[in-house]
Amino acid sequence: MEKGVIFVRVSKREQDYQRQIEDLRVVAQTQSLRIVAEIAEKVSGAKYNQERDGLQELLAMARKREINKVLVQEVSRLGRSTVEVLNVLEELTKLQISVYVQNFGIETLKNGKRNPIAQFMFTLLAEFARMERETLRERILSGMDEARRKGKHLGRPDGSSEDKEAFLKKYPSVVRNLRLGISARKTAKICDTSINTVRKVKDYIS
């Protein structure tokens, strides 16, 4: 019997990933797949893959040849960008580990060989997910600009403040990169954080 892993992710704003797990358990049963691990992440989809503990755990199992198949609900669970998704799929494919995506019922390998239709669809799906995320970001920024034009105050209420310790706890990866000597601009890119936030962290830890 093949060994598989269920991999799910929800953003920090969501509370429950149990439904995803239960749905994928049903898939595993229909495919006679023995699930050896269920990995659940509660992390923003904007995080880079190297910052995602759950995904790194999945890849570690794959590299140790502990699994034959990965079950996910959507291809976007595997990365924040098209490139990251395809990198994960390529590594798993080279390791002869198939990825099954439930919402489209497609799989990367068929009888141990690449499924070209799946590869093409995954590229399109990953790109659509990236475009959707960028569109949402643009809408938010546009809304903020419109609010500023109308004279509305954005950010913390006047008179409120956040202490240094609480602020630094919110950006542990930024703190870590800066202490390793990585530049503020590169840290902002790696951590997907604004350069102003990184500079503020740098001022606090200097």
Side-chain angles (χ1 to χ4, degrees):
M1 181 180 288
E2 286 190 320
K3 296 179 291 184
V5 59
I6 287 174
F7 182 76
V8 300
R9 175 185 62 78
V10 294
S11 71
K12 290 182 178 179
R13 290 171 293 180
E14 295 178 271
Q15 296 301 312
D16 188 34
Y17 42 66
Q18 194 59 38
R19 178 62 184 271
Q20 288 185 50
I21 292 177
E22 291 173 359
D23 287 347
L24 292 172
R25 283 174 180 168
V26 173
V27 172
Q29 289 178 353
T30 61
Q31 296 187 6
S32 298
L33 191 66
R34 180 165 68 90
I35 297 300
V36 297
E38 294 176 350
I39 302 174
E41 283 188 324
K42 190 169 282 192
V43 63
S44 167
K47 286 283 187 181
Y48 286 90
N49 281 358
Q50 61 263 35
E51 299 178 284
R52 296 172 54 186
D53 293 338
L55 185 63
Q56 293 307 312
E57 179 184 351
L58 168 67
L59 293 175
M61 292 182 69
R63 291 161 186 159
K64 293 176 183 176
R65 312 285 178 163
E66 296 176 352
I67 54 176
N68 308 106
K69 188 178 290 189
V70 178
L71 304 181
V72 297
Q73 277 203 326
E74 299 176 14
V75 69
S76 60
R77 301 292 186 254
L78 298 175
R80 68 184 294 275
S81 67
T82 305
V83 171
E84 288 199 330
V85 170
L86 295 180
N87 283 344
V88 171
L89 290 173
E90 181 64 21
E91 179 170 1
L92 293 174
T93 298
K94 286 181 177 179
L95 293 170
Q96 285 292 292
I97 296 168
S98 189
V99 178
Y100 177 85
V101 181
Q102 184 188 15
N103 66 337
F104 282 92
I106 52 179
E107 197 165 338
T108 52
L109 299 180
K110 279 189 174 182
N111 300 319
K113 296 182 179 180
R114 291 175 184 261
N115 178 358
I117 295 176
Q119 293 293 122
F120 175 70
M121 287 190 66
F122 284 149
T123 302
L124 290 179
L125 292 172
E127 186 63 19
F128 288 154
R130 182 194 64 78
M131 291 170 62
E132 183 178 8
R133 188 164 55 245
E134 286 191 355
T135 299
L136 177 60
R137 181 173 179 273
E138 288 172 2
R139 286 176 180 172
I140 291 172
L141 293 175
S142 178
M144 292 174 66
D145 288 341
E146 180 64 21
R148 290 191 185 96
R149 282 195 293 270
K150 292 180 178 179
K152 293 182 179 179
H153 177 77
L154 300 176
R156 293 178 175 276
D158 291 336
S160 67
S161 62
E162 182 177 29
D163 65 53
K164 173 180 174 181
E165 185 177 352
F167 181 79
L168 292 178
K169 283 183 178 179
K170 289 168 59 178
Y171 302 99
S173 60
V174 175
V175 172
R176 182 171 61 253
N177 278 281
L178 290 175
R179 284 177 173 164
L180 287 172
I182 299 174
S183 70
R185 190 166 298 280
K186 189 171 182 179
T187 294
K189 185 176 181 180
I190 293 172
C191 300
D192 195 28
T193 306
S194 73
I195 186 66
N196 289 335
T197 296
V198 174
R199 285 169 178 161
K200 186 175 180 180
V201 171
K202 188 174 182 179
D203 288 342
Y204 277 161
I205 65 176
S206 296

